[in-house]
Amino acid sequence: MKRLALQLEDYMLPCMWKKNFGIDCLGCGMQRSFNFLLQGEFIAALHMYPAIYTLIIMFAYLILHLKFKFKYGHRVILSLFSINISIIVINFIIKTF
């Protein structure tokens, strides 16, 4: 798995926002964080992009909800979305200042 992760580093997309304006965007670090997950570096992934785990949970739940149509699935997805947005914005503010 580490070999795959090392190969993925060659195909990571550059952040055009950071390239043009010199500051991180709201998604900066997500690719590297996912790469850390593939390498088994779970703490490093959390430090790189704190919303990585909640995003994975949200997308996994979304896929399950599309398959099984949970009764209150839309509320859970909306809650997870709100939590993710909060984590991403707070992380952006902390990194920026």
Side-chain angles (χ1 to χ4, degrees):
M1 192 61 92
K2 284 190 179 191
R3 186 176 183 103
L4 171 66
L6 293 174
Q7 290 174 350
L8 289 177
E9 286 181 15
D10 297 334
Y11 298 102
M12 287 187 183
L13 299 172
C15 177
M16 298 311 281
W17 185 268
K18 188 171 187 171
K19 188 175 184 180
N20 291 326
F21 299 111
I23 58 173
D24 287 351
C25 71
L26 294 172
C28 275
M30 188 184 309
Q31 292 179 97
R32 288 174 282 156
S33 180
F34 187 71
N35 197 30
F36 279 133
L37 282 177
L38 292 177
Q39 293 177 21
E41 301 286 337
F42 302 112
I43 302 298
L46 181 66
H47 286 293
M48 182 61 62
Y49 197 72
I52 190 72
Y53 293 114
T54 53
L55 282 170
I56 291 170
I57 292 169
M58 183 182 74
F59 284 117
Y61 188 84
L62 176 63
I63 291 168
L64 290 172
H65 175 62
L66 291 173
K67 175 90 171 142
F68 298 110
K69 307 286 187 215
F70 300 125
K71 185 174 182 180
Y72 296 107
H74 61 287
R75 291 184 184 171
V76 174
I77 292 169
L78 185 59
S79 299
L80 288 169
F81 181 78
S82 299
I83 290 167
N84 281 316
I85 292 297
S86 299
I87 293 170
I88 291 168
V89 170
I90 290 168
N91 183 50
F92 175 74
I93 291 169
I94 290 170
K95 284 193 316 187
T96 304
F97 299 106

